[in-house]
Amino acid sequence: MGDEIQEASSAVSRATTASFSKWVKEDFDREDFNPDHLAAVPGNAQLSDELRLWPATRKRVKTLVRQGVGVDQRRDLWLTVSGGLQFSKVSGSLYTETLQDSFGNTVREDLPCPRPFLPASGCQWWQLSAAGQAAGCRILVAIERNHPDISHCPDLQRLAAVLLHVIDDETTCFNILSALLQSDHSGAANGAVPSSHPVFLDQSQTAVIDTEACLGRLARKKAKHSYRWLQETQGASESVMATDDEMVRVMGDWLSWVFAWLPLTTVIRVVDCFLIEGKKVLYRVALAMMKLTYRNMDVSDGRRNAKRPGLPEVKRHSRSLASAVLLQVSVD
C-alpha cells in the first residue's frame, strides 16, 4: 500500500514538473507560478498538426493558441512561431561559439545583465534559481555580442526569463530571442514596419518612449471609462483630474503591469499569443487589466471614488487574473 501511495505521489510530481524547466527553483512560489494550472490545459492535436505547416497556418494557429496550449506543446510552439527554428538552421552553433570566443571554455555564473537589456525597475527573474538567472545572463550577453546596434531593449530580459521557466536548453532560448530581434529588423523597410508584420521588441530609447506613450492614447479610445477613472485617481487633488500629458507619465511603465503584476502562469499564456501576434497583444492585455479592474469595483461601496489610488487597485486585482478571462476581454 505504501509503495502504491509513493508511486501515485511520484506520478503527480512528474506531471507537475513537466510544466516547467530545470531552471525553476525548488521552493518556487505556487501563488505566483502554479504549474498545475498549466498542466490542466489539455493538449490540442490540431495545434501540433498546424505548426508543421507554419507560417501558412498562422490564422488557424492563432485561434487554437487562444483556446489553450498543452505543456508538451509549448516549447515547439515558441520555437516555431518565433522563427527560432529557422534561425537555428542558419546560425548553427552561434551561441556556443559566441560564449567560447568571449570566455573560453569557462561557464560563467557571474555575468551581469547587459545594460541595454536592463529594465528600469531591475531584472525580473520570477521563480528562476540562481543557476537559471546565470543562464539568462549568459544568453543576454551572447545576444549583446551579436547585436551591438541595439541601444535599449529592456523587455528582452523579462522575455528571456519567461522562456527559461519552460525551456531547459540555453541555445533554444537564444535562438528564439535572436529570431524575434532579427524579425523586427528585417521586417522594416526604410524605417517603417509593414502593417501585416508583427512587431515584437523595441530596440532603441526612442521606440521605448513611443511605446510608453501609446497605451494612454489607446486607452482614451478603447477603455474610456477605465481611463477616466484613473485620471480621477491620479489628479493633484480630489477635485482635479490628471491631464492627458500627466497620464503619459503615470502609465509610462505599463509593460511592468503585464510582466510584474500578473501571475507568472498568466504571463506564460500571454507570451503564447505574443510570439504569434507581436506587441499588440501586450497593449490588449494592459487595456484588459484596466477594464477588468474597473468592472470588478462596485460603485455603491465607493471603490471607484477618486479617494482610492487607481494603479494600486489595478495591481491588487491583477494578481488574481486568470489567463482565460484576460485573453477573452474585448478591447475593440
Side-chain angles (χ1 to χ4, degrees):
M1 184 68 174
D3 292 340
E4 293 177 358
I5 294 176
Q6 185 175 3
E7 177 60 29
S9 177
S10 298
V12 172
S13 178
R14 287 194 296 272
T16 301
T17 55
S19 306
F20 57 86
S21 76
K22 66 182 181 182
W23 303 116
V24 174
K25 57 189 178 183
E26 293 183 3
D27 58 339
F28 61 88
D29 181 2
R30 280 185 171 270
E31 183 176 348
D32 178 55
F33 178 50
N34 192 334
D36 295 335
H37 292 168
L38 295 176
V41 179
N44 191 323
Q46 286 181 292
L47 176 58
S48 298
D49 293 338
E50 299 292 349
L51 283 176
R52 297 187 184 97
L53 301 174
W54 178 271
T57 54
R58 177 182 293 272
K59 290 185 178 180
R60 181 62 177 157
V61 168
K62 181 173 75 172
T63 300
L64 292 172
V65 166
R66 290 285 185 93
Q67 297 172 4
V69 178
V71 295
D72 58 335
Q73 297 174 317
R74 183 160 281 111
R75 179 186 180 279
D76 289 341
L77 170 71
W78 289 2
L79 185 59
T80 300
V81 301
S82 67
L85 184 60
Q86 286 298 114
F87 183 85
S88 67
K89 295 177 181 178
V90 177
S91 65
S93 56
L94 178 61
Y95 177 65
T96 302
E97 292 173 359
T98 300
L99 292 182
Q100 286 181 341
D101 289 345
S102 301
F103 310 111
N105 293 322
T106 302
V107 178
R108 294 290 297 273
E109 301 285 346
D110 58 345
L111 297 174
C113 175
R115 185 170 295 275
F117 310 141
L118 185 65
S121 56
C123 288
Q124 185 173 357
W125 296 112
W126 286 282
Q127 303 301 320
L128 291 183
S129 63
Q133 295 177 32
C137 287
R138 286 194 295 271
I139 293 168
L140 295 172
V141 166
I143 290 176
E144 183 189 36
R145 297 287 197 274
N146 287 282
H147 293 273
D149 55 313
I150 298 179
S151 60
H152 195 53
C153 187
D155 297 326
L156 197 68
Q157 185 278 322
R158 292 164 170 157
L159 187 55
V162 175
L163 296 183
L164 285 169
H165 281 80
V166 175
I167 299 173
D168 287 329
D169 185 53
E170 293 178 43
T171 299
T172 299
C173 293
F174 170 83
N175 288 336
I176 290 174
L177 296 173
S178 297
L180 292 177
L181 294 170
Q182 187 179 74
S183 177
D184 281 339
H185 180 71
S186 63
N190 299 320
V193 177
S195 58
S196 60
H197 181 80
V199 177
F200 295 100
L201 297 163
D202 296 324
Q203 300 182 33
S204 69
Q205 184 69 50
T206 301
V208 169
I209 291 174
D210 184 62
T211 293
E212 290 174 347
C214 189
L215 183 68
R217 296 194 294 267
L218 288 172
R220 290 199 296 271
K221 295 180 180 179
K222 298 181 178 294
K224 295 179 182 179
H225 297 299
S226 306
Y227 180 77
R228 183 177 177 82
W229 164 66
L230 282 179
Q231 278 188 299
E232 293 171 349
T233 65
Q234 301 301 313
S237 66
E238 293 182 17
S239 60
V240 179
M241 291 199 313
T243 65
D244 289 337
D245 287 341
E246 289 172 334
M247 289 300 289
V248 170
R249 174 186 55 78
V250 170
M251 301 173 67
D253 195 29
W254 66 269
L255 280 168
S256 288
W257 304 3
V258 178
F259 287 108
W261 294 0
L262 292 172
L264 176 58
T265 308
T266 300
V267 173
I268 288 174
R269 286 290 290 120
V270 170
V271 170
D272 289 340
C273 299
F274 166 76
L275 292 177
I276 298 173
E277 303 177 57
K279 191 166 61 176
K280 64 182 181 181
V281 168
L282 303 182
Y283 286 117
R284 289 203 297 261
V285 167
L287 290 172
M289 291 168 69
M290 291 174 56
K291 296 175 75 172
L292 286 169
T293 302
Y294 182 76
R295 292 176 187 175
N296 184 64
M297 293 185 297
D298 187 350
V299 177
S300 63
D301 71 2
R303 293 180 67 195
R304 286 184 184 168
N305 190 285
K307 294 179 180 179
R308 292 187 61 87
L311 289 181
E313 187 69 21
V314 176
K315 181 177 181 179
R316 184 196 66 79
H317 184 249
S318 297
R319 295 305 302 163
S320 60
L321 281 179
S323 58
V325 175
L326 188 65
L327 295 175
Q328 289 176 5
V329 172
S330 171
V331 293
D332 296 327

